[in-house]
């Protein structure tokens, strides 16, 4: 969650206006930053908040986010009914716990966990928490191995591409792990096997492979990374596990790229996470994390709570959270099945490929990806286009409500600014054509009205939300 600071003293007593049409109790004022002294009618409070929220963007037109922005009315009704249920209270809500158990088993099957290995997993508040749990398990296992061999365990490191989501940077900072990032370079926009192995040593707790980069939607080659680590073990003796951050791809690859080996079919993959609230098609926030075997999750990370007269093992950073998202995830599983998920994601990919193909033919753009992995693609302006930038185009598209992020790539490619489009369920071919019409309109405007570009140090600060 973002951090907020207290407003200055002069602003503490600012008030906001209430439309007199809504007010049936007269004569009180409502402070903006202090708790009001009096109550108001629920309908009045509802309308006041609604009036403020109309300034938010339209979630359906948000092409920046991977997060689900539409669910069926039946799913919304189910979530409303389950919102008061606290997931942590297994005694009070045993059937919600049972639905979570079924979801874990469904995912272990979907991700090809070996039947005899007793894959272990749980739900989380999202992939960020799931990544933290996966990272903790890697760290604890590495420490235990080092201590068992009477070796120093003071300098752990984690290898990843510079395209990782910020949650991995948080994990490294919070748990004092050195992040070893492989930078992006032109022609290689994500982690590959040789580069990953070159960063590893005896202090490496694991390698993170991303199945669906937030930068451009591409999959990192899990098999190639694993094979490079196999060679490293044969040559230097370092046995390094892989964690697959499949925040988005974990719910796409099993349906669109069924022959792609990225999951527990790859022996070196120790754990996998995914976001149910991305291509799992559930409103935020729910994530999932799975370990290949019980011993991949160190026992001293597990807490046991009393549950129906027995002991329920739990592993989480968060405690109380609603059961609504888990119930909705199970609803999607039984409602859609393999056929439904495949149809929805194939439709998304068809729209993504249609859009990227049309954009590639417009003239000023170069595609970096097409949407053949995730239904997500990134594109940039040709180097000879200097009269406007992707930031100018992003800002003009927002005038019509389209939220198409513009941003620069991370270290070693910060001079490359791109736009990215995420196609989700509900973004139809009709909407895609409307976006293309607006894109053409604003390109014509910018071509006839060149924009003065700020210096690079300021241009980089124009970066908009990309995840």
């Amino acid at each position: 969650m973002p951090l907020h600071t207290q407003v200055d003293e002069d602003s503490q007593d600012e008030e906001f206006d209430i439309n007199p049409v809504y007010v049936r109790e007269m004569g009180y004022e409502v402070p903006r930053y202090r708790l009001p002294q009096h109550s108001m009618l629920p309908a009045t409070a509802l309308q006041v908040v609604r009036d403020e929220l109309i300034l938010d963007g339209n979630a359906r037109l948000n092409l920046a986010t991977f997060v689900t922005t539409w669910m069926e009315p039946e799913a919304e009704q189910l979530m409303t009914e389950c919102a008061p249920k606290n997931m942590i209270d297994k005694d009070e809500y045993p059937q919600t716990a049972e639905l979570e158990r079924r979801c874990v088993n469904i995912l272990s099957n979907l991700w090809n966990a070996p039947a005899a290995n007793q894959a272990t997993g749980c739900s989380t508040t999202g992939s960020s928490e799931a990544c933290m749990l996966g990272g903790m398990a890697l760290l604890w296992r590495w420490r235990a191995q080092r201590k068992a061999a009477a070796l120093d365990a003071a300098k752990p490191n984690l290898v990843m591409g510079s395209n990782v989501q910020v949650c991995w940077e948080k994990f490294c900072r919070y748990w004092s792990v050195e992040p070893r990032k492989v930078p992006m370079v032109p022609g290689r926009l994500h982690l590959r096997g040789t580069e990953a192995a070159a960063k590893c040593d005896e202090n490496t707790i694991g390698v993170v492979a991303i199945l669906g980069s937030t930068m451009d939607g591409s999959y990192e080659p899990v098999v190639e990374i694993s094979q490079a680590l196999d060679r490293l073990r044969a040559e230097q003796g370092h046995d390094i596990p892989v964690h697959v951050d499949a925040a988005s791809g974990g719910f796409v690859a099993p349906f669109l790229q069924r022959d792609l080996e990225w999951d527990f079919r790859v022996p070196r993959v120790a754990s996998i996470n995914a976001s149910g609230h991305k291509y799992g098609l559930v409103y935020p926030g729910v994530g999932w994390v799975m370990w290949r075997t019980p011993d991949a999750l160190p026992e001293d990370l597990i807490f046991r709570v009393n549950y129906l007269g027995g002991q329920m093992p739990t592993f989480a950073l968060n405690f109380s959270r609603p059961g609504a998202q888990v119930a909705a995830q199970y609803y999607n599983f039984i409602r859609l099945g393999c056929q439904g998920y495949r149809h929805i994601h194939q439709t998304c990919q068809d729209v993504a490929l249609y859009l990227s193909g049309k954009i590639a033919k417009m003239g000023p753009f170069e595609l970096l990806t097409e949407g053949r992995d995730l239904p997500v693609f990134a594109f940039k302006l040709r180097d000879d286009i200097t009269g406007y930038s992707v930031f100018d185009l992003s800002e003009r598209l927002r005038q019509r409500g389209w939220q198409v992020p513009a941003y620069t790539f991370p270290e070693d490619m910060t001079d490359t600014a791109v736009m990215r489009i995420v196609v989700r369920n509900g973004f139809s071919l009709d909407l895609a054509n409307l976006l293309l019409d607006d894109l053409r309109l604003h390109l014509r405007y910018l071509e006839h009205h060149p924009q003065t570009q700020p210096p690079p140090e300021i241009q980089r600060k124009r970066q908009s939300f990309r995840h």
Side-chain angles (χ1 to χ4, degrees):
M1 293 294 104
L3 294 173
H4 302 283
T5 56
Q6 186 177 7
V7 298
D8 58 57
E9 192 67 29
D10 292 338
S11 301
Q12 287 285 322
D13 294 319
E14 285 185 8
E15 298 170 355
F16 59 82
D17 294 329
I18 299 178
N19 189 321
V21 171
Y22 307 146
V23 179
R24 282 177 279 173
E25 314 121 308
M26 306 299 292
Y28 66 85
E29 299 167 339
V30 181
R32 193 181 299 271
Y33 298 110
R34 295 185 189 273
L35 196 65
Q37 294 299 315
H38 304 283
S39 302
M40 67 174 68
L41 291 170
T44 304
L46 174 63
Q47 194 59 52
V48 166
V49 178
R50 277 181 173 166
D51 283 353
E52 296 245 16
L53 292 178
I54 60 175
L55 293 173
D56 279 347
N58 184 332
R60 293 285 298 280
L61 300 181
N62 184 354
L63 303 182
T65 184
F66 288 77
V67 173
T68 296
T69 54
W70 182 87
M71 291 189 75
E72 294 174 314
E74 293 83 356
E76 292 185 339
Q77 179 183 345
L78 179 64
M79 292 186 73
T80 300
E81 293 170 359
C82 293
K85 297 183 180 181
N86 190 350
M87 271 297 302
I88 203 65
D89 291 337
K90 311 298 184 184
D91 285 338
E92 292 85 347
Y93 310 116
Q95 206 58 32
T96 302
E98 169 61 18
L99 296 187
E100 181 187 32
R101 188 169 76 95
R102 293 180 193 176
C103 288
V104 167
N105 278 269
I106 288 169
L107 289 173
S108 70
N109 179 269
L110 194 66
W111 296 341
N112 294 290
N117 284 13
Q118 294 184 312
T120 301
C122 62
S123 68
T124 64
T125 54
S127 263
S128 290
E129 183 187 8
C131 289
M132 298 285 178
L133 300 184
M136 289 172 66
L138 294 175
L139 178 59
W140 259 247
R141 286 182 62 199
W142 175 82
R143 281 176 178 167
Q145 292 166 358
R146 299 287 289 178
K147 290 177 181 178
L151 297 171
D152 178 61
K155 297 180 179 179
N157 67 70
L158 182 66
V159 173
M160 64 194 86
S162 62
N163 58 310
V164 294
Q165 215 267 357
V166 69
C167 65
W168 287 107
E169 298 177 34
K170 290 181 180 180
F171 166 77
C172 289
R173 186 176 300 179
Y174 295 165
W175 276 274
S176 299
V177 175
E178 176 196 354
R180 291 193 175 176
K181 293 185 180 179
V182 176
M184 300 167 66
V185 297
R188 180 180 56 73
L189 301 182
H190 57 222
L191 188 65
R192 304 298 297 262
T194 300
E195 291 77 14
K199 289 281 188 180
C200 295
D201 59 23
E202 63 180 5
N203 292 316
T204 302
I205 66 173
V207 173
V208 177
I210 309 294
L211 198 76
S213 170
T214 61
M215 298 291 174
D216 63 1
S218 62
Y219 293 162
E220 293 184 337
V222 177
V223 169
E224 178 189 311
I225 292 169
S226 179
Q227 290 172 343
L229 295 176
D230 289 342
R231 292 192 293 272
L232 182 68
R233 183 184 183 187
E235 295 166 3
Q236 300 183 26
H238 307 318
D239 190 11
I240 298 170
V242 172
H243 174 91
V244 179
D245 181 352
S248 297
F251 280 98
V252 174
F255 306 109
L256 296 191
Q257 298 96 11
R258 283 175 282 178
D259 294 331
L260 178 67
E261 293 189 4
W262 64 273
D263 50 20
F264 291 123
R265 287 171 290 182
V266 182
R268 196 164 287 280
V269 172
S271 49
I272 300 170
N273 71 272
S275 290
H277 61 229
K278 293 181 180 174
Y279 286 101
L281 306 179
V282 178
Y283 286 145
V286 61
W288 302 92
V289 60
M290 188 80 60
W291 290 270
R292 171 188 293 275
T293 58
D295 62 357
L297 176 56
E299 181 66 28
D300 60 349
L301 286 174
I302 299 172
F303 287 80
R304 300 187 182 277
V305 297
N306 188 40
Y307 171 60
L308 296 180
Q311 294 293 310
M312 166 68 75
T314 67
F315 181 29
L317 297 179
N318 195 61
F319 197 69
S320 294
R321 59 189 174 92
Q325 285 80 2
V326 168
Q329 185 75 82
Y330 186 67
Y331 167 90
N332 276 348
F333 284 161
I334 64 172
R335 160 77 175 90
L336 298 173
C338 291
Q339 180 187 42
Y341 269 103
R342 187 174 299 116
H343 178 67
I344 287 171
H345 294 335
Q346 186 62 64
T347 300
C348 289
Q349 189 168 69
D350 291 345
V351 172
L353 292 171
Y354 172 79
L355 260 177
S356 64
K358 292 292 186 181
I359 288 173
K361 294 177 181 177
M362 284 185 179
F365 299 116
E366 293 179 10
L367 289 183
L368 300 177
T369 49
E370 298 176 281
R372 295 191 181 278
D373 290 338
L374 292 182
V376 174
F377 63 96
F379 54 100
K380 63 185 283 291
L381 288 171
R382 296 196 326 262
D383 292 340
D384 60 318
I385 303 294
T386 58
Y388 56 93
S389 69
V390 291
F391 303 101
D392 298 318
L393 187 54
S394 176
E395 289 167 2
R396 288 198 63 83
L397 286 170
R398 190 175 284 266
Q399 294 175 12
R400 272 271 281 173
W402 301 110
Q403 299 171 58
V404 183
Y407 53 91
T408 56
F409 277 152
E411 56 260 40
D412 287 12
M413 286 191 68
T414 54
D415 58 343
T416 300
V418 304
M419 300 179 78
R420 188 202 64 210
I421 290 177
V422 179
V423 177
R424 302 182 311 280
N425 184 31
F427 188 76
S428 65
L429 199 60
D430 288 339
L431 283 173
N433 280 315
L434 289 172
L435 173 63
L436 289 169
D437 289 343
D438 284 339
L439 195 55
R440 293 185 188 101
L441 174 66
H442 291 301
L443 281 175
R444 287 197 297 270
Y445 176 88
L446 290 169
E447 286 166 359
H448 288 88
H449 299 84
Q451 307 293 299
T452 302
Q453 298 301 307
E457 61 272 14
I458 296 178
Q459 186 84 301
R460 283 195 289 270
K461 293 181 180 179
R462 297 176 73 185
Q463 172 167 299
S464 61
F465 187 68
R466 66 169 177 260
H467 295 303

